[in-house]
Amino acid sequence: MIRVEHLSKQFDGDNGTLHAVNDVSFTVHDGEIFGIIGMSGAGKSTLVRLINRLEEPTSGKVWIDEKEMTALSPKELLAERKEIGMIFQSFNLFHQKTIRRNIAYPMEIAGWKKEDIEARIDELLAFVDLADRGNAYPAELSGGQKQRVAIARAMALKPKILLSDEGTSALDPKNTAQVLDLLRQLSLTYGTTIVLITHQMEVAKEICDRIAVMDGGRIIEEAATQEIFFHPKESITRSFISRLQDSDELAFLDEMTFEGDVVKLTYRNEMSKHSLITDVARKTNATISILSANINKFRQGELGYTVVEISGQPEERQKAFNAFREEVDVEVLP
């Protein structure tokens, strides 16, 4: 288990003090995939580097399995880091080494026997589905394959924890899906606890058990993924969720003229199959026309959007608004 207590990190510069991480506390349970999401500059990457003390905190404590990481000596910290793997957006592979030798590196540093190293390499290459690429070099691999090698290397010493700092940000959707599936399999197969840093809500929704939203160095909202999606409390969280709908889908609205009000209805789980629009139309004399619709599916359920035009007399349109708001989130589009 990871327990973070009142963690802060300050950087002093010519323009004053930057509070990159500001009094942050949270807990990650064993075997959990915990997502930390935020915009660029929110402090999430600094936060994850504080967990294994790649950055030293200004104040606060980090506990891993009841051992206070922030109180360890350099020698003790080096030993404890064997239990923590880390992957980065840039892969950080040795370009002059083969894939096998990249994966072998942490085991060689740790003093493993040669036969044990080779057996572990074979196991990991099979797990990341690169058994036939062990003698290739990083330049010969795709971005997704490089990240799978990075994951294999991070897992070489059989760590209990894996920290992923924007590990899918440089990948296309297909490779992102493959890497997320691999991380999910790590959690299921080995019970690995994963802390996943991302600015992409579509990534967090696919894999995370719980999500913390960061802004300005603070965690402003934290809950189970289902709760975050179904009942977001903060405007920033709602903004992240709203972006799951491709803005290009609504580009056609800019080229059209409407007599009524154009609104976006956001519904969750059982509402996605509920005949809400028909029911509202029956209750009022408003005319409701569907302009666009989609559904995002994720581990905990569904999140759907329908864009409609509401026409008719003002009082009937207001009745329709009120009826929709009783059931779903309603956003008037400009």
Side-chain angles (χ1 to χ4, degrees):
M1 183 176 70
I2 303 170
R3 190 168 80 249
V4 172
E5 298 179 346
H6 303 292
L7 201 61
S8 294
K9 177 65 178 181
Q10 299 175 5
F11 295 97
D12 294 324
D14 295 337
N15 297 321
T17 300
L18 171 65
H19 297 272
V21 175
N22 193 353
D23 194 25
V24 166
S25 299
F26 62 91
T27 298
V28 183
H29 305 296
D30 288 342
E32 185 175 37
I33 303 178
F34 185 81
I36 301 175
I37 188 167
M39 299 295 289
S40 178
K44 55 191 187 298
S45 290
T46 301
L47 174 58
V48 78
R49 291 169 65 88
L50 292 172
I51 292 176
N52 62 357
R53 282 180 59 187
L54 288 179
E55 291 280 358
E56 291 293 339
T58 303
S59 61
K61 297 179 180 180
V62 177
W63 297 78
I64 295 180
D65 290 340
E66 302 307 319
K67 185 169 293 187
E68 186 184 346
M69 297 290 291
T70 39
L72 299 179
S73 68
K75 183 178 180 180
E76 292 170 330
L77 178 61
L78 191 61
E80 287 301 315
R81 279 183 179 157
K82 294 178 182 179
E83 299 290 341
I84 306 173
M86 191 163 188
I87 60 173
F88 304 88
Q89 177 180 350
S90 56
F91 316 132
N92 288 358
L93 300 179
F94 298 111
H95 295 287
Q96 74 277 17
K97 294 179 181 288
T98 66
I99 300 312
R100 293 189 70 88
R101 302 280 48 92
N102 265 278
I103 298 172
Y105 182 73
M107 293 179 280
E108 292 169 346
I109 295 298
W112 282 35
K113 295 179 180 179
K114 183 176 180 180
E115 57 268 28
D116 293 336
I117 291 175
E118 296 305 316
R120 180 63 172 160
I121 292 172
D122 290 339
E123 177 187 354
L124 289 167
L125 284 174
F127 185 79
V128 301
D129 196 24
L130 290 172
D132 60 340
R133 304 308 306 272
N135 293 320
Y137 288 85
E140 302 174 81
L141 303 184
S142 68
Q145 289 172 325
K146 291 176 184 177
Q147 194 59 288
R148 280 186 272 160
V149 174
I151 292 172
R153 185 179 63 184
M155 296 301 297
L157 299 180
K158 303 181 181 180
K160 295 180 294 185
I161 296 168
L162 180 64
L163 308 178
S164 172
D165 188 6
E166 297 283 7
T168 61
S169 295
L171 305 179
D172 60 31
K174 180 180 178 180
N175 282 313
T176 293
Q178 292 175 346
V179 168
L180 292 180
D181 184 63
L182 179 59
L183 293 177
R184 190 180 295 112
Q185 290 304 314
L186 280 175
S187 177
L188 293 173
T189 304
Y190 299 110
T192 308
T193 302
I194 299 174
V195 178
L196 186 142
I197 302 296
T198 183
H199 66 275
Q200 301 168 297
M201 184 59 89
E202 60 269 29
V203 168
K205 81 177 178 71
E206 289 291 338
I207 193 172
C208 294
D209 299 302
R210 287 191 299 133
I211 295 174
V213 182
M214 283 196 75
D215 183 52
R218 295 180 178 272
I219 289 180
I220 60 171
E221 185 166 0
E222 177 193 341
T225 302
Q226 181 172 346
E227 183 68 17
I228 286 285
F229 274 82
F230 292 2
H231 305 290
K233 296 181 176 63
E234 300 294 332
S235 60
I236 290 176
T237 309
R238 291 192 291 271
S239 176
F240 272 117
I241 294 171
S242 180
R243 289 174 197 168
L244 286 174
Q245 183 180 27
D246 188 350
S247 60
D248 290 341
E249 287 187 18
L250 304 183
F252 73 94
L253 296 176
D254 297 332
E255 303 173 0
M256 300 179 66
T257 301
F258 300 97
E259 295 181 359
D261 299 305
V262 178
V263 302
K264 184 171 74 171
L265 313 175
T266 301
Y267 45 87
R268 299 167 172 88
N269 265 4
E270 68 276 1
M271 290 305 305
S272 64
K273 297 179 176 64
H274 183 56
S275 56
L276 178 62
I277 293 175
T278 300
D279 289 348
V280 171
R282 287 173 178 169
K283 292 178 183 177
T284 70
N285 289 322
T287 300
I288 303 173
S289 304
I290 297 177
L291 303 176
S292 176
N294 73 4
I295 295 177
N296 283 285
K297 295 184 178 181
F298 54 104
R299 294 177 69 191
Q300 293 81 2
E302 298 176 345
L303 183 72
Y305 306 90
T306 300
V307 178
V308 301
E309 180 185 14
I310 304 176
S311 305
Q313 296 299 317
E315 62 272 16
E316 296 301 325
R317 286 152 67 173
Q318 188 60 50
K319 287 180 183 178
F321 274 121
N322 294 340
F324 280 130
R325 286 194 174 108
E326 290 178 0
E327 301 287 348
V328 298
D329 293 336
V330 180
E331 177 187 356
V332 179
L333 299 180

